[in-house]
Amino acid sequence: MIEDIRLSLVVDMCGCPNRCKHCWLGHMPNTKMKDDIDEWIINYFKPYFKHIAYYSWLREPDFIENYRERWIKDKKLSVESTPMRFELASFYRLVRDPEYVEFLKEVGTKIVQLTFFGLEQLSDKYIGRKGAFNELLEASEILIENGIAPRWQCFINEENKNEIIDVLKLSEKLKLSERCREFGEEFKFFVHPGSCDGENYKLYDIRLNKMNIPNELRPYMLDIDEYYSESELVEMLKNDESIVDFDYGNDLVLNISNNLDVYYNFTHMKKSWCIGNLENEEPEDLIRKVINYDVDAINKAKNISIAELVKQFGNATSDRMFAIDDYKMYLLLKYLSD
Ligand code: SF4
């Protein structure tokens, strides 16, 4: 029995209405899982881990009609642990189901993060659904009317960088800060380029150039001092003989797809990152692999230094902007070609 690791099982039971172009998990079909699979999954891990938090959603939270029962069941299934709500909710459900905001209040939600990619056309395009932008605005209104602060996060790239300024202006026009202050919460607006895995890996060509950060957005760029241009990163890492390392510490999060493939939450859910399948592997074998990082991608990562990754895949003339760990992961994914 492993007592010092807090395990979170994050299971794609609910799917997602969106197909965001920045989705780090990667796009997956919405496939309904068997109703009693949750108990089967918990029982698979229970003999090995003392603390298990069960989440029935991996993608959009509460994108399931019986979200209320689901939340109660997730808590009941968890072992010596309680699943968290985070600052997330389903904006799809918020605009369709008047009961949903009541549920959010009941579970103590104070802030809900909503993601923009520009104004209507660009946000709809990047979220992958016509009407998504207007739903985000309507959801913001519903939240504020109910004393919950929306938090607007914007993903920025070369295509949408100027429109993100318009999103900031829109938040000012709607007086979101003042209106949230009235009920004692703070409205937050922030901008970042995202990681470079999953679907966002495909947006490398239009990744924001460091010299092109709009001045108006600089105060809202999250951790701006931790971002470098690719040419700076190539220079910083070209003699780094260490390897891309992975460490889940005492908090182990396992993402489980709707066909029961198991992944760490380090990067996207693609073949070489799959630890194993719950139906096809004996629990002891799978747990051994989980604990020992025995995964194809991680085993391959041990055989190549960061310096070699930079030499093979770095672009010393690129001004594209990355956080250092995101860049290392991008190089590794190039090497693995997945
Ligand atoms: S980023 Fe979130 S909301 Fe968008 S497709 Fe991925 S899981 Fe769904």
Side-chain angles (χ1 to χ4, degrees), residues 67 142-143:
Y67 51 86
I142 294 169
L143 290 168

Side-chain angles (χ1 to χ4, degrees), residues 16-20 22-27 58-60 127:
C16 179
N18 309 318
R19 290 293 177 271
C20 304
H22 78 296
C23 183
W24 66 280
L25 296 165
H27 290 167
L58 165 64
R59 295 185 279 159
E60 177 110 325
I127 294 170

